[in-house]
Amino acid sequence: MEVRVVNVRKEFERFPALHDVSLDIKSGELIALLGPSGSGKTTLLRLIAGLERPTKGAIFFGEEDASQKSIQERNVGFVFQHYALFRHMTVADNIGFGLKVRHGAARPSSQEIRRRALELLDLVQLSGLEKRYPAQLSGGQRQRVALARAMAIEPKVLLLDEPFGALDAQVRRELRRWLREIHDRTGHTTVFVTHDQEEALELADRVVVMSQGRIEQVGTADDIYDTPNSPFVYSFIGESSSLPVKVENGEVWIADRPIGLEAPHAPPGEAVLYFRPHDVDLLDGCSGCIAGTVAASRRVAGTRRVELEIGGERQRVEIELPVDHPAAQKSRVAFRPRRWKLFPKA
Amino acid sequence: MADPEIKSYEPHHESRSAAVTESRPVRITLTTVTLVFLGIFLLLPLIIVFKEAFAKGVGAYFQSLGDADTRSAIRLTLLVAAISVPLNLVFGLSAAWAIAKFEFKGKAFLTTLIDLPFSVSPVISGLVYVLLFGAQGLLGEWLKAHGIQILFAVPGIVLATVFVTFPFVARELIPLMQEQGNGDEEAALSLGASGWQAFWYVTLPNVKWGLLYGVLLCNARAMGEFGAVSVVSGHIRGLTNTMPLHVEILYNEYNAVGAFAVASLLAGLALVTLVLKTLLEMRYGAEIAATRGH
Amino acid sequence: MTTAPAHAGWRFRQPSVIPGFGLTLGFSLAYLTLIILIPLSGLIWRSAALGWTDFWALATDRRTLKALEISFGTAFIAAAVNVVFGTLVAWVLVRYRFPGRRVVDAMVDLPFALPTAVAGIALTTLYAPTGWLGKLLMPLGLKVAYTPLGIIVALVFIGLPFVVRTVQPIMEELDKEVEEAAATLGASRFQIITRVLLPSLAPAIITGFSLAFARGVGEYGSVIFIAGNLPYKSEIAPLLIVIRLEEYNYPAATAIAAIMLALSFAMLLVINLVQTWSRKRYG
């Protein structure tokens, strides 16, 4: 099922939580909503689910305008961060709940409900635990039950709100791989919210980066990582260094000299240069490069990070050096970013 | 983890999405039914007390309060509360210290025993003392021989009151002190404080609001107890009549204004208790144990 | 200040640097024993001294049986009424916002704070045939004051806060997400309430019922004014104890008291079992 979010705005007591957000989700896609706290990602997910109503705009499931439908009619599977399992029901009853509350002919027989529950339990690899109560399961097991329960109603879309947020690191990684497998096997259109970029980039087909109630960028992990299109994405995803620069004659300047980067389309004037610390070419001499004095250096796994003091401006940037690079305290290093982007000065 | 900021923008009532609340007409109906029910069962009895007390005017009201027997009933009630509340206060502190600060065998059982008086009918609470101290009681002969009067006298009334108000302070303090743990006291001891100093300067300030809360409830019950006191008092006018007992006597003598005048004092006490209790819960809710009521 | 030597095996208490264990536990136990345990065991001793045949004869006396039946029956009905209205009151206080909610919330504790004798005469005056409510009910053929119905009214008054204050905190803790989860799974509001919310509240409701019931069975002050106290009709067991005492019939008073105590403790046991069971199961 394809989902389209069209010009949605959401206010809580006049406080805007989402400003005019549009997003197309393709059928069968696994998509991540990534952003810091307060970015509106959970609100967007709850709007798609129907747990909130948009102040303006519409949400389409296929050709249907879902914003007119009640949450019960929407048929979405929602998985909550804290599982929200029914404490007084066994695992099997939890999974079968969505089928049991159907009316008339739509309700399968109780044997059928049981069969389906056991089947799903098998899918989430918890066979044999059907008689347990949620309190008797580990966090990871509970989240699997929650997922099975959401899938039992054959939802049009599967929505997960920080599904691994309450679990410890080890279980998180396991469940992440497992969710990808389940998705590939069942092909549900799936949207999940996370604040963990590693999780988003590793798991999702496409990542939606959000900040302050707006979508900053939508793209594959490669798009987002290699060509961030805003200073926010640069600094929120991965690591980045930035330097204040000037654009003149289609070239990028630091203080009074060009640094060998061509920017023919950038408007002249002050700007900020962004690049990834590891995405630089080290140079020997310096005609058209960035040069600085090593102010600090630290070892990070297989590489060395150095902090350079650039020019008299006392600007500091971080770049990555091979471990065997002879740079030492106070020595000068020259480099040029391999991939970079200019943004207007804030 | 969660989105705390976004969540705080949602006021947790109105913006409950339509999916998790009732429709407006249903909400209004349920609220109305509730208010009417509470109005009939709680508010009307309270109103009628004051209405009846002033039925024959302010003059008659104060005249009946000025009656000598009434005044002695008020004095006795205050006396009984002044003895039994401090006794239970000391017990409450002592029991809470032993139970909350230490781990020992039989602790759960002891905690259950403390709650025992709540599950005993007030009449039985009085009866046990009659069986003990009455003329046919276990100690009756001995007491008579030594000229000690417990039953149908102030000591009996105090004992019965202590019995029924026994758990109030302890059950307020125990969960509170358990939650606060031993860290503060251990710190005080490590800084050189004595046990008494640790109790006085550290424990007591930490639990003072919960303590006050317990004392408040204990006092309300002590002044208002009827069943237990009725069994042990002997209803001697001017001597062993507490306010609630005096209410009964006046009422049975068809002295409605007199009965309701005394009742209005007790109702006033109840209202003051409720107001203080609510203020304590509002301001110090976190510092008062979660066990509200009783 | 007792500091038990830390030796292996059975130990009465865990070692601790906090002083005062011996003093506080000793005082607490002594006080508990003097005030509660000795008097209560006196009651048990006296009823045991009756001997089985005498006890059985007193216990199965028709007036006694009827009084017990009235006490337990009216307390049961009143507790059931309170389960319905108490849960409703808790629901409205927790879920809805309306002007004066705080005052109403505070008012719920009135029966805890108001002396029972005051409640008794107030309710009697209200429900007497000439009273505000009695006048309204009379044409409907409902006589409340001086009938068993009056006992139920008094016990509803007394028991209400027990249900509200047991259910309310549990209701406040209910996770909104659980309701949302049920809604996304297609459950209607009615289904959510009956299949998800009420079952999770069931242990609290049962506990509230038991507390209100236990209190109702033993209640004396508020009932005796409104009940009319006709033997075999509206005479409650606590009142019969008082009557037997006034007749200096100690054995009969003791027997009734012993039966009531045994039943109350059975109730207490049930409450504890329900709580342990629900804690074990639902965590």
Side-chain angles (χ1 to χ4, degrees):
Chain A
M1 178 69 56
E2 175 196 44
V3 177
R4 280 186 302 135
V5 177
V6 184
N7 302 111
V8 161
R9 180 181 175 80
K10 176 66 186 174
E11 294 171 5
F12 290 113
E13 310 249 289
R14 299 250 191 87
F15 181 92
L18 282 181
H19 310 264
D20 199 31
V21 165
S22 295
L23 177 65
D24 286 359
I25 300 166
K26 294 181 215 116
S27 191
E29 199 174 21
L30 178 57
I31 205 162
L33 304 180
L34 173 66
S37 291
S39 60
K41 54 191 193 301
T42 295
T43 305
L44 179 55
L45 192 78
R46 290 171 63 85
L47 282 164
I48 297 174
L51 289 167
E52 308 286 353
R53 300 219 160 210
T55 310
K56 257 191 223 137
I59 291 160
F60 292 91
F61 284 9
E63 291 310 309
E64 266 180 314
D65 185 353
S67 21
Q68 297 311 310
K69 289 186 159 184
S70 77
I71 181 166
Q72 285 88 355
E73 297 164 334
R74 280 200 200 196
N75 198 25
V76 295
F78 202 102
V79 175
F80 295 83
Q81 180 179 1
H82 298 289
Y83 331 122
L85 292 175
F86 307 129
R87 293 186 304 157
H88 61 282
M89 293 183 200
T90 61
V91 165
D93 288 340
N94 261 284
I95 299 175
F97 181 83
L99 301 173
K100 215 176 272 175
V101 293
R102 288 188 184 166
H103 292 288
R107 177 167 57 205
S109 70
S110 50
Q111 291 103 315
E112 173 64 11
I113 293 175
R114 190 168 167 73
R115 197 188 59 74
R116 290 271 293 283
L118 292 179
E119 199 178 286
L120 281 160
L121 209 52
D122 193 40
L123 179 72
V124 299
Q125 299 164 0
L126 290 178
S127 300
L129 298 187
E130 63 271 16
K131 290 201 180 113
R132 297 265 188 102
Y133 284 86
Q136 300 164 324
L137 301 178
S138 71
Q141 290 174 327
R142 286 181 209 182
Q143 201 53 295
R144 290 173 195 226
V145 173
L147 186 68
R149 181 179 70 175
M151 290 198 300
I153 58 169
E154 285 162 358
K156 292 183 182 136
V157 283
L158 200 52
L159 306 170
L160 302 94
D161 185 8
E162 302 245 9
F164 314 128
L167 303 169
D168 52 37
Q170 174 71 27
V171 183
R172 260 175 114 115
R173 269 193 298 276
E174 253 167 53
L175 279 193
R176 211 187 274 169
R177 210 169 314 128
W178 167 83
L179 178 64
R180 182 75 231 187
E181 274 172 38
I182 295 236
H183 175 264
D184 292 346
R185 211 169 336 150
T186 58
H188 282 116
T189 307
T190 305
V191 185
F192 73 99
V193 159
T194 180
H195 66 274
D196 178 345
Q197 42 171 305
E198 195 189 316
E199 191 168 291
L201 297 174
E202 184 186 316
L203 193 52
D205 297 324
R206 285 197 302 157
V207 176
V208 179
V209 183
M210 299 186 67
S211 162
Q212 299 188 325
R214 292 192 170 80
I215 292 182
E216 291 278 337
Q217 187 168 2
V218 183
T220 62
D222 289 346
D223 294 341
I224 301 278
Y225 200 79
D226 294 336
T227 53
N229 64 5
S230 72
F232 172 80
V233 180
Y234 248 115
S235 47
F236 184 65
I237 311 275
E239 292 180 70
S240 65
S241 291
S242 63
L243 273 174
V245 295
K246 234 177 350 196
V247 178
E248 252 176 66
N249 306 328
E251 272 196 293
V252 181
W253 295 61
I254 287 181
D256 54 352
R257 59 174 99 158
I259 54 172
L261 302 177
E262 311 258 318
H265 304 297
E270 293 196 7
V272 184
L273 172 76
Y274 278 87
F275 59 93
R276 302 282 188 202
H278 64 88
D279 221 0
V280 295
D281 288 322
L282 295 176
L283 304 170
D284 286 333
C286 195
S287 59
C289 66
I290 306 173
T293 316
V294 176
S297 135
R298 63 195 158 91
R299 173 72 184 252
V300 178
T303 61
R304 190 181 300 284
R305 287 291 175 83
V306 294
E307 219 174 277
L308 297 180
E309 213 160 78
I310 307 287
E313 309 279 314
R314 309 208 129 269
Q315 288 293 334
R316 288 195 168 194
V317 294
E318 214 176 59
I319 64 167
E320 209 169 282
L321 297 181
V323 181
D324 50 8
H325 190 279
Q329 198 77 2
K330 298 279 184 196
S331 67
R332 282 183 73 76
V333 174
F335 71 96
R336 191 186 295 139
R338 213 178 294 145
R339 242 192 300 231
W340 49 274
K341 209 154 184 170
L342 285 177
F343 294 102
K345 196 179 170 196
Chain B
M1 297 282 146
D3 261 359
E5 285 171 62
I6 276 287
K7 277 188 181 139
S8 63
Y9 302 141
E10 293 175 50
H12 43 267
H13 39 106
E14 265 99 8
S15 90
R16 293 184 75 89
S17 49
V20 290
T21 191
E22 292 72 45
S23 65
R24 209 176 143 74
V26 174
R27 289 203 305 263
I28 292 176
T29 312
L30 292 182
T31 310
T32 313
V33 170
T34 300
L35 293 180
V36 168
F37 174 81
L38 293 179
I40 291 176
F41 272 85
L42 299 185
L43 197 55
L44 275 187
L46 193 60
I47 293 172
I48 200 86
V49 169
F50 292 98
K51 189 235 162 202
E52 292 290 318
F54 290 100
K56 290 187 180 143
V58 183
Y61 176 79
F62 283 107
Q63 199 184 347
S64 51
L65 285 186
D67 176 73
D69 287 347
T70 303
R71 281 208 313 244
S72 86
I74 296 173
R75 268 197 305 276
L76 180 60
T77 292
L78 293 175
L79 174 70
V80 169
I83 300 172
S84 47
V85 173
L87 276 176
N88 282 335
L89 167 68
V90 172
F91 164 73
L93 279 170
S94 155
W97 183 272
I99 288 174
K101 302 285 174 202
F102 302 94
E103 290 300 324
F104 57 92
K105 309 271 174 197
K107 185 160 127 164
F109 182 62
L110 180 58
T111 315
T112 313
L113 277 186
I114 290 174
D115 268 351
L116 202 58
F118 277 151
S119 21
V120 174
S121 170
V123 168
I124 298 179
S125 313
L127 170 72
V128 292
Y129 289 109
V130 175
L131 295 181
L132 213 54
F133 302 123
Q136 304 175 32
L138 296 173
L139 303 175
E141 288 299 321
W142 186 87
L143 289 173
K144 204 173 169 194
H146 290 77
I148 303 171
Q149 180 83 357
I150 290 185
L151 223 50
F152 312 131
V154 176
I157 297 173
V158 170
L159 277 175
T161 306
V162 167
F163 187 106
V164 294
T165 59
F166 185 82
F168 280 100
V169 178
R171 69 173 301 151
E172 210 53 58
L173 286 182
I174 291 169
L176 183 60
M177 277 166 67
Q178 265 169 343
E179 202 178 301
Q180 289 179 345
N182 290 354
D184 288 11
E185 286 77 13
E186 283 166 359
L189 293 173
S190 75
L191 293 169
S194 71
W196 279 111
Q197 285 171 320
F199 170 76
W200 196 252
Y201 293 113
V202 176
T203 311
L204 211 51
N206 275 342
V207 300
K208 60 174 183 278
W209 298 117
L211 184 66
L212 185 59
Y213 189 84
V215 166
L216 195 67
L217 299 181
C218 184
N219 179 64
R221 182 71 191 269
M223 292 192 171
E225 178 51 31
F226 180 76
V229 170
S230 166
V231 172
V232 295
S233 105
H235 305 267
I236 307 164
R237 280 181 93 125
L239 276 181
T240 63
N241 242 0
T242 61
M243 286 167 78
L245 297 181
H246 198 54
V247 168
E248 184 195 19
I249 289 184
L250 292 173
Y251 186 80
N252 287 342
E253 289 169 350
Y254 300 99
N255 181 354
V257 170
F260 278 101
V262 180
S264 75
L265 293 182
L266 290 168
L269 168 77
L271 285 178
V272 170
T273 304
L274 283 187
V275 169
L276 289 178
K277 179 174 179 295
T278 308
L279 288 179
L280 278 175
E281 278 164 9
M282 275 163 64
R283 295 214 35 195
Y284 306 103
E287 296 167 49
I288 297 173
T291 54
R292 300 205 307 165
H294 301 276
Chain C
M1 321 280 143
T2 55
T3 315
H7 51 78
W10 194 88
R11 203 159 41 195
F12 173 56
R13 78 172 175 105
Q14 312 278 321
S16 162
V17 296
I18 310 264
F21 179 69
L23 177 69
T24 54
L25 186 70
F27 174 74
S28 304
L29 285 179
Y31 189 78
L32 179 80
T33 309
L34 277 177
I35 300 290
I36 310 286
L37 297 184
I38 291 180
L40 272 182
S41 16
L43 173 67
I44 294 165
W45 185 77
R46 286 291 283 250
S47 42
L50 284 175
W52 184 242
T53 9
D54 282 355
F55 184 85
W56 186 249
L58 290 167
T60 54
D61 169 62
R62 240 189 90 227
R63 190 166 165 192
T64 305
L65 280 181
K66 201 67 199 171
L68 285 169
E69 186 191 317
I70 291 165
S71 273
F72 281 84
T74 51
F76 187 89
I77 296 169
V81 171
N82 274 329
V83 160
V84 176
F85 283 96
T87 308
L88 177 67
V89 170
W91 179 266
V92 168
L93 287 177
V94 171
R95 292 298 176 103
Y96 305 153
R97 292 297 174 267
F98 53 91
R101 191 184 61 94
R102 273 199 172 286
V103 179
V104 174
D105 195 353
M107 275 286 293
V108 168
D109 280 333
L110 182 73
F112 282 151
L114 193 71
T116 53
V118 178
I121 62 169
L123 289 172
T124 312
T125 309
L126 276 178
Y127 288 95
T130 50
W132 288 350
L133 294 171
K135 249 190 312 207
L136 298 175
L137 296 172
M138 209 49 170
L140 306 174
L142 272 177
K143 243 178 116 307
V144 177
Y146 319 122
T147 69
L149 204 54
I151 305 179
I152 293 171
V153 167
L155 296 185
V156 168
F157 174 86
I158 291 298
L160 181 71
F162 288 92
V163 178
V164 178
R165 296 302 186 220
T166 329
V167 174
Q168 198 177 13
I170 309 295
M171 219 176 242
E172 267 161 7
E173 279 168 23
L174 284 180
D175 188 357
K176 189 177 90 174
E177 289 188 345
V178 171
E179 284 170 70
E180 291 180 342
T184 62
L185 293 168
S188 67
R189 189 65 198 151
F190 182 73
Q191 285 172 321
I192 294 174
I193 291 176
T194 54
R195 299 194 180 197
V196 177
L197 294 181
L198 287 182
S200 5
L201 292 173
I205 293 177
I206 294 172
T207 307
F209 174 88
S210 318
L211 290 171
F213 180 57
R215 176 67 203 266
V217 167
E219 180 55 25
Y220 176 71
S222 60
V223 174
I224 53 160
F225 295 98
I226 200 170
N229 306 328
L230 289 171
Y232 305 105
K233 281 214 169 72
S234 56
E235 183 179 69
I236 54 168
L239 177 65
L240 192 57
I241 295 179
V242 173
I243 291 173
R244 295 300 185 224
L245 268 184
E246 281 167 359
E247 295 166 352
Y248 297 101
N249 187 350
Y250 283 21
T254 311
I256 305 169
I259 297 170
M260 288 186 67
L261 263 189
L263 290 169
S264 307
F265 289 158
M267 291 288 312
L268 211 65
L269 196 68
V270 170
I271 299 174
N272 277 325
L273 286 179
V274 167
Q275 282 176 335
T276 321
W277 174 81
S278 76
R279 239 199 315 271
K280 258 207 192 122
R281 196 164 214 200
Y282 306 143

